Amino acid sequence: MSVNPHARFSFKIDLDQVFDQDALLAHTGRTALQLISNPLWGGDAVDYDGRSVDLSMLAGALVNQRDISNGLYSPDVNRPESDLIAGSLSSLRLFCPQWPQAISTESEILQKRDGFQRIHVTGGTTGITADALLRWQPFTPSFINRAEDQAYALSTFRDDKYLAHLHAEGLIMRHDKQLFAARAIAHAKSGKAIGDIERLLLFSRYSELHNCGMQKVRDHFWPFTSCFVHPDSTALAGLIFALDGAAKGGRFVTEGAPRLLRCMNFCSRGMEKQLEHEKDGWQAIYTSLSNSRNNASGLQAIVTGGQVAV
């Protein structure tokens, strides 16, 4: 927006994702750009509870590279196998976020009809209008390092009206991370498990500090993100770590214990102050962006001045 104050829409993609144009054309009859150019993007709606919804964000979906041969509408998250829960004792018996993630992926993200609001969002395929950025001033707190897109939407959630994602039917990107990062992903498995516990602690405390209160946040972000929002998150986190630590031992315990202690300490003593500080910072950024739309910036002059006619 500071480069081109006339820009009206923005879209974000992750670097390990690509638009498979052949697959998009074969399954939807449209290109990626045609799918992004959704005429409902930026519209207004009313939700089930009578609240006004600003559909100025856009959300697509993902298909894993290994699954695309089965069709574009193949969920990138599968339901957990029963033996993960019925097998040896683990925290999955009491806390298994893969279940709500898989169910919401099937029913929400892979919805084949237009005109739906999305709650569960894959962060690598999202967009927002320029006007909504300035009007709502959304942001993800720096202490949220997982599910940033959910925290982004949470920052604009209100009792009577809120900013939300429009479902972009058919806008599905191919996720190629297993092609070049499979070893790194496997190596980070323990770290990811600890990250899930941190996510439970961080989102629970963030929701507790939210103006709408934890219960309304849980109801709104059901079913997936809400499983990481719990009134007894500290006790639940400790139980998860104890169960999995007893089974896994090693790095899971030695690296996980200090991480979780730091996270608990931050949630109880540091988050509230940091959140207010970051709100002020983002407000200053958005004020600057708003001013730049009315005054051509030096950066804009540099970019436009360097353009070459072809």
Side-chain angles (χ1 to χ4, degrees):
M1 288 165 56
S2 59
V3 175
N4 181 4
H6 303 294
R8 295 181 56 206
F9 300 87
S10 64
F11 195 80
K12 165 188 173 288
I13 61 175
D14 286 353
L15 295 179
D16 60 352
Q17 299 167 194
V18 297
F19 287 113
D20 189 327
Q21 297 284 34
D22 291 338
L24 290 174
L25 286 169
H27 289 272
T28 71
R30 290 171 288 174
T31 65
L33 183 58
Q34 288 173 322
L35 290 163
I36 291 174
S37 302
N38 193 309
L40 301 179
W41 187 7
D44 293 315
V46 177
D47 73 4
Y48 73 97
D49 204 26
R51 294 172 296 185
S52 298
V53 182
D54 182 352
L55 294 173
S56 288
M57 293 194 289
L58 189 74
L62 296 175
V63 58
N64 291 322
Q65 186 274 338
R66 64 175 180 267
D67 299 325
I68 198 167
S69 60
N70 299 324
L72 188 67
Y73 290 87
S74 300
D76 67 315
V77 177
N78 296 316
R79 300 184 186 191
E81 298 177 4
S82 59
D83 61 355
L84 289 176
I85 299 173
S88 59
L89 182 62
S90 78
S91 66
L92 293 177
R93 294 198 183 188
L94 58 94
F95 183 74
C96 187
Q98 190 178 342
W99 265 114
Q101 184 180 16
I103 292 171
S104 62
T105 296
E106 295 170 14
S107 61
E108 187 178 351
I109 294 180
L110 297 181
Q111 172 65 252
K112 293 186 178 181
R113 291 181 292 170
D114 283 323
F116 281 84
Q117 174 192 345
R118 284 271 293 280
I119 299 296
H120 183 186
V121 177
T122 55
T125 52
T126 58
I128 187 170
T129 68
D131 287 340
L133 276 173
L134 300 179
R135 184 166 61 251
W136 290 95
Q137 301 186 2
F139 73 100
T140 297
S142 63
F143 50 79
I144 299 291
N145 53 25
R146 296 277 301 281
E148 300 93 336
D149 48 281
Q150 302 296 290
Y152 192 74
L154 179 56
S155 70
T156 68
F157 182 55
R158 308 285 186 271
D159 275 323
D160 57 341
K161 185 175 182 178
Y162 55 90
L163 178 65
H165 291 83
L166 171 71
H167 174 58
E169 187 278 322
L171 183 61
I172 301 174
M173 296 190 73
R174 193 186 72 213
H175 205 180
D176 288 354
K177 64 179 180 180
Q178 288 290 343
L179 283 177
F180 59 86
R183 183 178 298 179
I185 292 170
H187 184 71
K189 191 173 182 180
S190 291
K192 182 178 183 297
I194 294 298
D196 280 341
I197 305 176
E198 290 177 324
R199 181 174 172 180
L200 170 65
L201 293 166
L202 292 167
F203 266 89
S204 295
R205 179 57 174 154
Y206 185 25
S207 299
E208 191 176 44
L209 294 172
H210 197 279
N211 290 334
C212 292
M214 178 182 285
Q215 189 56 53
K216 287 186 178 180
V217 171
R218 292 187 78 185
D219 292 343
H220 182 70
F221 286 94
W222 186 89
F224 179 43
T225 297
S226 65
C227 76
F228 290 97
V229 179
H230 199 282
D232 297 313
S233 59
T234 301
L236 179 57
L239 183 55
I240 293 170
F241 183 68
L243 286 171
D244 291 343
K248 298 177 181 179
R251 290 179 56 197
F252 182 85
V253 175
T254 58
E255 296 180 7
R259 277 181 60 179
L260 293 179
L261 285 173
R262 286 194 299 269
C263 185
M264 289 178 180
N265 183 61
F266 171 74
C267 288
S268 62
R269 300 181 182 180
M271 183 185 292
E272 185 172 9
K273 183 178 180 180
Q274 182 168 330
L275 183 59
E276 292 305 315
H277 176 71
E278 293 190 14
K279 283 180 180 178
D280 292 340
W282 278 104
Q283 187 174 29
I285 290 173
Y286 280 117
T287 298
S288 177
L289 283 174
S290 180
N291 292 336
S292 73
R293 298 198 80 185
N294 301 317
N295 301 288
S297 66
L299 180 58
Q300 181 192 0
I302 292 172
V303 173
T304 56
Q307 291 177 342
V308 178
V310 294

